[in-house]
Amino acid sequence: MHKKLFIPGPVEVRDDVLQKMATPMIGHRTKDASALQRRITEKLQKLMYTGNMILLSTSSGSGLMEGAVRSCTVKRAAVFSVGAFGDRWYKMAVSNNVPADLFPSEPGKPTTPEMVDKALATGKYDLITITHNETSTGVMNPVEEIAEVMKKYPEVVWCMDAVSSLGGAKIEVDKLGVDICITSTQKCLGLPPGMAICSFSEKAREAAKKVQFRGTYLDLLELYEYIIKKDYQYPSTPSLPHMFALDYQLDRILAGGLENRFARHIEMAKIVRAWAKERFALFPEEKYASVTLTTVKNTRGISVADLNRKLGEHGYMISNGYGSLKEVTFRIAHMADTTPDEIKELLTLIDRLI
Ligand SMILES: *Cc1c(COP(=O)(O)O)cnc(C)c1O
């Protein structure tokens, strides 16, 4: 039996979107391939509120995270972490020999604008990484406030991990001043896993030109230059099935109205948070609670593994806590094409099982 996914990626994919993955192949060096990537780019620019070029990568989101910190750090990176995915970005920097320092927050707490200001005031850093939505702790960082601080440091490249939020929360890339905004297909965009997407600013490009060892496959400058030289093509063979499905899904997303999509995510978050507070507690400070997933503090000490097994018998699946937060927390994703009614159904079922 297929289990309906309420986990923070991969998410439930609509049948019509899945069908598009089975589109017959085209040559990746044809005008049709260029037109496909150009259409996807234009639609993603709307979704990201940016005029910057969009890069596609046949990898998961982690690929572009690694590519960004490696390709664009000239001097030293300040990596702000509010959990597992921020920590991972630091590990990527270190393992690529990119000079970097880690600025962690307490679990459940955000990266504050003061932290960013204090680090950048040292003048040591020319690139920062921020997690927009930390999928382990369920924290959504105050990026509008961080953007205010970033105005004081116009030379610093801002990389943002929006893997579990882009397409579910409004992220105005150009207004915020984000240089590289990264996401994956399998979360709020509602597609299967296998492709990563980012926006790429001129500032990021200029920084990359000064970096000698950017690697090859995940060299963001190479991806960009290929698009310019070869009319929206990809240096190697891209996952065309994802591109067919993405082209179609972005049409759906834009036709449904972006504001409606963001409002639906907020509505679902409110439903889950209210439920969580009544039965358990929220893990993050509510002010910083994510709109795309809720991390619930397991105050009743239930066996999450047991609950998930029972949910599975009914055709549903949620997520245990991440890493050291396993069993101490559990996570309910409310992203992509999930509806408030489906969320209510899930919560009603959990109530019956706990
Ligand atoms: C899922 C996730 C990632 C990793 O993305 P992949 O596509 O699995 O590589 C990174 N950051 C956040 C916040 C995520 O939720």
Side-chain angles (χ1 to χ4, degrees):
M1 176 175 47
H2 170 69
K3 288 181 195 163
K4 203 163 174 174
L5 300 178
F6 292 87
I7 64 176
V11 297
E12 203 56 30
V13 181
R14 291 168 54 96
D15 277 339
D16 51 344
V17 175
L18 268 183
Q19 285 307 316
K20 291 290 166 186
M21 296 284 289
T23 305
M25 287 305 113
I26 58 173
H28 68 300
R29 296 284 172 245
T30 59
K31 284 204 167 63
D32 285 347
S34 292
L36 177 62
Q37 185 160 338
R38 185 194 296 269
R39 283 199 303 277
I40 290 169
T41 299
E42 287 166 359
K43 287 178 258 193
L44 283 168
Q45 285 170 329
K46 287 187 189 143
L47 181 63
M48 291 195 182
Y49 300 85
T50 186
N52 290 335
M53 185 49 84
I54 303 294
L55 310 180
L56 303 180
S57 169
T58 299
S59 66
S60 71
S62 302
L64 283 180
M65 288 168 69
E66 181 161 356
V69 75
R70 175 170 177 158
S71 303
C72 300
T73 308
V74 185
K75 219 161 55 178
R76 195 170 188 88
V79 177
F80 294 90
S81 174
V82 293
F85 291 103
D87 291 351
R88 189 189 283 187
W89 222 342
Y90 178 66
K91 187 171 167 241
M92 288 168 174
V94 170
S95 61
N96 277 287
N97 201 27
V98 172
D101 292 309
L102 179 66
F103 297 89
S105 298
E106 294 281 310
K109 297 271 194 292
T111 297
T112 63
E114 292 76 24
M115 287 170 70
V116 175
D117 199 10
K118 194 171 161 216
L120 294 186
T122 62
K124 277 162 70 180
Y125 307 101
D126 59 354
L127 181 143
I128 67 162
T129 75
I130 299 276
T131 310
H132 179 247
N133 189 67
E134 175 54 63
T135 318
S136 57
T137 59
V139 164
M140 194 167 252
N141 268 321
V143 288
E144 279 86 8
E145 294 168 31
I146 291 170
E148 285 306 308
V149 166
M150 287 303 286
K151 286 186 186 145
K152 285 168 63 181
Y153 305 98
E155 70 291 352
V156 176
V157 172
W158 180 356
C159 303
M160 193 158 84
D161 169 356
V163 171
S164 62
S165 49
L166 195 110
K170 188 172 195 170
I171 301 174
E172 296 179 274
V173 167
D174 287 356
K175 199 165 140 195
L176 292 169
V178 174
D179 295 291
I180 306 177
C181 183
I182 301 166
T183 200
S184 307
T185 46
Q186 79 279 15
K187 302 207 180 170
C188 296
L189 293 174
L191 296 155
M195 200 158 225
I197 295 158
C198 76
S199 63
F200 192 49
S201 76
E202 188 182 347
K203 194 205 292 179
R205 232 155 52 223
E206 290 308 313
K209 284 179 190 164
K210 297 189 202 124
V211 176
Q212 189 182 359
F213 296 109
R214 299 186 302 269
T216 304
Y217 191 70
L218 296 170
D219 174 4
L220 271 50
L221 189 59
E222 161 97 358
L223 287 170
Y224 174 83
E225 287 179 342
Y226 211 87
I227 289 168
I228 301 303
K229 267 192 241 136
K230 305 278 169 142
D231 189 24
Y232 287 83
Q233 287 188 6
Y234 188 77
S236 50
T237 320
S239 175
L240 292 160
H242 282 90
M243 292 170 73
F244 293 130
L246 184 56
D247 187 34
Y248 173 82
Q249 173 72 333
L250 288 168
D251 278 339
R252 278 195 63 252
I253 290 173
L254 293 170
L258 291 181
E259 294 298 338
N260 293 336
R261 190 173 179 87
F262 304 142
R264 172 169 54 80
H265 280 80
I266 292 169
E267 186 189 344
M268 293 191 293
K270 282 185 178 160
I271 294 167
V272 180
R273 279 180 218 157
W275 175 89
K277 284 192 290 180
E278 222 171 83
R279 313 288 194 281
F280 296 92
L282 293 179
F283 182 72
E285 243 178 90
E286 183 158 10
K287 192 176 160 204
Y288 302 109
S290 164
V291 302
T292 62
L293 87 149
T294 297
T295 300
V296 183
K297 202 177 194 170
N298 183 9
T299 49
R300 291 159 65 161
I302 62 160
S303 162
V304 177
D306 223 36
L307 169 63
N308 226 354
R309 191 182 45 72
K310 287 188 218 153
L311 281 170
E313 288 164 9
H314 291 81
Y316 290 80
M317 183 178 180
I318 62 168
S319 268
N320 209 320
Y322 193 100
S324 57
L325 294 174
K326 201 168 175 170
E327 293 294 333
V328 181
T329 64
F330 61 91
R331 297 171 298 157
I332 298 175
H334 27 85
M335 56 173 75
D337 293 313
T338 304
T339 63
D341 282 346
E342 288 169 319
I343 285 292
K344 286 179 198 158
E345 257 172 51
L346 169 75
L347 297 177
T348 306
L349 179 60
I350 296 177
D351 276 339
R352 266 176 47 209
L353 298 177
I354 57 176

